[in-house]
Amino acid sequence: MIDELSKTIRAQLHERVSSPLLATFSIAWLVWNYKFVLILFASVSLQEKFQMIDAVAFPSGILILLNGLVYPLAAALVLIFLYPIPAKYVYEYAKKRQRDLKEIQQKIDDETPLTKEEARAIRKEALKRTMDLEEELEKQVANVERLKEIVREFEESESKEYNRTQSGEFSVKRNPRASDSNLNRSNILVTAEKYVEESIKNHIIEKYSGADAKFLVDVKDNQLHVSVLPGSVEGQSKSFRYDYETPDDDNLSPVISDLQKRLDQDVRSFIGM
């Protein structure tokens, strides 16, 4: 409660102090009543200060009203409302003169021939930038070659996979760490992963056969990995990973449907289909 009250008071004080009228009025009041300020800080007794204030600073009641309120308020209003009008034109004139001086300086600099040191420095800077650009170009070329190699490996992998499928070759390897009691469960998990992988591949072939992109699909440890290599964007690729759970009843249709929806959303967002 006390903290909130303190914050409220500080906020109100800050708002009052930052007010243009109050700040300008305070300055004007100090100027009009400089005698009062000097007497206030004079090295005399308090009684002498009061006497000097009555005799010098405010000898009459009308001066108290004029110097204490009317004159400072009038000066503040003049500074707030009238001063900005000529100040605007003065500021505009000064900026134009600065612009003219810069144009004259630029004209003289353009007509002045470069010294040998300046020419040497410019050539050195240009050579450095050229070398930096060549280095960046080499990096981009290396990235393109790396992506081409990935695409070739992907195409070779797809070709081998297609040949194995056409020849009817398929094997389920037993996990050497699995016990005999878990053999059937291990076989189901591996078979489910293969089923998910083939289903996603068929979905990609049907859905994105006309897309200018290559896809690399891998399923391992109940996680689907799909790498997309767009042909129109050199040096950029995107990998997506999706976790899934194998149902106890081995009904993978809902799982595959969910994976297809998530994959379609990410692929469309990436390649702009």
Side-chain angles (χ1 to χ4, degrees), residues 250-261:
D250 297 331
N251 183 15
L252 293 173
S253 295
V255 175
I256 293 174
S257 178
D258 178 67
L259 291 174
Q260 291 174 350
K261 290 179 180 179

Side-chain angles (χ1 to χ4, degrees), residues 131-190:
M131 294 177 63
D132 293 339
L133 289 175
E134 291 179 352
E135 183 179 354
E136 183 65 23
L137 181 61
E138 291 178 357
K139 291 181 180 180
Q140 295 299 327
V141 171
N143 289 334
V144 172
E145 294 297 329
R146 179 178 59 83
L147 287 175
K148 289 182 179 179
E149 183 66 24
I150 293 175
V151 171
R152 284 195 295 269
E153 293 177 357
F154 170 74
E155 292 176 347
E156 292 176 358
S157 175
E158 286 294 306
S159 178
K160 292 179 181 179
E161 183 67 22
Y162 176 78
N163 293 334
R164 286 199 301 268
T165 304
Q166 293 297 320
S167 61
E169 296 180 2
F170 178 77
S171 63
V172 178
K173 296 182 179 180
R174 177 179 176 179
N175 186 353
R177 298 184 180 179
S179 60
D180 292 337
S181 60
N182 294 329
L183 177 59
N184 293 331
R185 182 60 178 169
S186 175
N187 287 340
I188 292 174
L189 285 175
V190 174

Side-chain angles (χ1 to χ4, degrees), residues 82-95:
L82 298 182
Y83 170 75
I85 297 176
K88 179 182 70 173
Y89 295 102
V90 173
Y91 180 79
E92 183 179 1
Y93 176 81
K95 285 298 181 179

Side-chain angles (χ1 to χ4, degrees), residues 4-255:
E4 293 180 357
L5 180 60
S6 176
K7 290 180 181 179
T8 303
I9 294 175
R10 286 199 298 268
Q12 292 294 331
L13 291 176
H14 181 269
E15 181 179 356
R16 297 295 185 271
V17 172
S18 59
S19 171
L21 178 59
L22 181 59
T24 309
F25 177 81
S26 300
I27 296 173
W29 192 93
L30 291 175
V31 172
W32 279 100
N33 298 279
Y34 70 94
K35 295 180 181 180
F36 173 79
V37 177
L38 293 176
I39 294 172
L40 188 64
F41 291 97
S43 300
V44 296
S45 63
L46 185 60
Q47 184 177 1
E48 291 177 341
K49 287 183 180 181
F50 287 143
Q51 292 175 354
M52 295 176 66
I53 290 173
D54 293 336
V56 179
F58 303 111
S60 63
I62 188 65
L63 285 179
I64 295 177
L65 178 62
L66 293 176
N67 291 344
L69 180 61
V70 177
Y71 293 157
L73 181 60
L77 294 177
V78 169
L79 290 175
I80 292 174
F81 293 104
L82 298 182
Y83 170 75
I85 297 176
K88 179 182 70 173
Y89 295 102
V90 173
Y91 180 79
E92 183 179 1
Y93 176 81
K95 285 298 181 179
K96 287 181 178 179
R97 298 290 74 78
Q98 291 180 3
R99 184 190 61 190
D100 295 340
L101 291 176
K102 288 183 179 179
E103 291 178 355
I104 294 173
Q105 182 181 1
Q106 184 64 40
K107 183 179 179 180
I108 294 174
D109 291 341
D110 293 340
E111 295 176 353
T112 303
L114 295 176
T115 63
K116 293 183 178 180
E117 291 76 10
E118 292 174 340
R120 190 179 298 109
I122 293 176
R123 286 195 298 269
K124 184 178 180 181
E125 181 66 21
L127 180 60
K128 181 178 181 300
R129 292 187 179 184
T130 302
M131 294 177 63
D132 293 339
L133 289 175
E134 291 179 352
E135 183 179 354
E136 183 65 23
L137 181 61
E138 291 178 357
K139 291 181 180 180
Q140 295 299 327
V141 171
N143 289 334
V144 172
E145 294 297 329
R146 179 178 59 83
L147 287 175
K148 289 182 179 179
E149 183 66 24
I150 293 175
V151 171
R152 284 195 295 269
E153 293 177 357
F154 170 74
E155 292 176 347
E156 292 176 358
S157 175
E158 286 294 306
S159 178
K160 292 179 181 179
E161 183 67 22
Y162 176 78
N163 293 334
R164 286 199 301 268
T165 304
Q166 293 297 320
S167 61
E169 296 180 2
F170 178 77
S171 63
V172 178
K173 296 182 179 180
R174 177 179 176 179
N175 186 353
R177 298 184 180 179
S179 60
D180 292 337
S181 60
N182 294 329
L183 177 59
N184 293 331
R185 182 60 178 169
S186 175
N187 287 340
I188 292 174
L189 285 175
V190 174
T191 304
E193 291 179 352
K194 186 66 177 179
Y195 181 76
V196 170
E197 180 179 348
E198 294 300 325
S199 299
I200 295 299
K201 287 181 179 179
N202 292 333
H203 174 73
I204 292 174
I205 293 173
E206 295 175 0
K207 195 79 173 180
Y208 305 103
S209 59
D212 186 16
K214 299 291 185 178
F215 295 82
L216 179 61
V217 181
D218 185 31
V219 179
K220 185 177 181 181
D221 297 332
N222 282 12
Q223 190 177 66
L224 171 63
H225 301 256
V226 180
S227 298
V228 184
L229 307 172
S232 59
V233 183
E234 294 185 355
Q236 295 185 7
S237 62
K238 185 72 173 180
S239 296
F240 304 102
R241 297 185 180 184
Y242 310 97
D243 295 322
Y244 68 90
E245 296 292 337
T246 303
D248 294 335
D249 58 358
D250 297 331
N251 183 15
L252 293 173
S253 295
V255 175

